[in-house]
Amino acid sequence: MSRYIPGGRTAATLVAGSVRYPIQRFWFFTAIAAVSWALYSTGTGYLGGRIFHDHPYQGILAGLALAFGLTLAIEGVRYLVNRRAAKKAVTVPDMPVSPRP
């Protein structure tokens, strides 16, 4: 997953080395990530080129709309989850206890 995050490959590589992650497993998962990233990038470019060949500005607008839409959806869900958790975490203030006679 770190391949899809800017700077993620560098961070993942440094962490894997510092915790002595087995090199064979590291290379195996790195290969899977590289192939999936290449297929994703190539597919996106190919489909975008086919769909927006004659209208490149529409492609840019569609990409921006998709990015903003996904961001709003993710943040909206995160807001609702946090709001629900905050409602459950509401506590009743402590009442002063009167001394018993």
Side-chain angles (χ1 to χ4, degrees), residues 9-51:
R9 288 182 293 180
T10 303
T13 302
L14 292 172
V15 170
S18 67
V19 299
R20 299 182 187 274
Y21 194 77
I23 192 75
Q24 294 84 7
R25 292 190 77 197
F26 178 78
W27 283 113
F28 174 73
F29 289 116
T30 297
I32 291 173
V35 170
S36 71
W37 183 79
L39 291 172
Y40 159 77
S41 298
T42 303
T44 301
Y46 177 77
L47 290 175
R50 297 279 293 172
I51 294 170

Side-chain angles (χ1 to χ4, degrees), residues 22-88:
I23 192 75
Q24 294 84 7
R25 292 190 77 197
F26 178 78
W27 283 113
F28 174 73
F29 289 116
T30 297
I32 291 173
V35 170
S36 71
W37 183 79
L39 291 172
Y40 159 77
S41 298
T42 303
T44 301
Y46 177 77
L47 290 175
R50 297 279 293 172
I51 294 170
F52 300 108
H53 180 266
D54 296 327
H55 306 285
Y57 290 113
Q58 287 179 352
I60 293 170
L61 292 175
L64 289 172
L66 180 63
F68 285 123
L70 284 172
T71 301
L72 288 173
I74 291 168
E75 289 302 314
V77 169
R78 190 172 69 94
Y79 171 77
L80 292 174
V81 167
N82 287 340
R83 190 170 132 196
R84 180 175 288 175
K87 281 184 180 180
K88 287 183 180 180

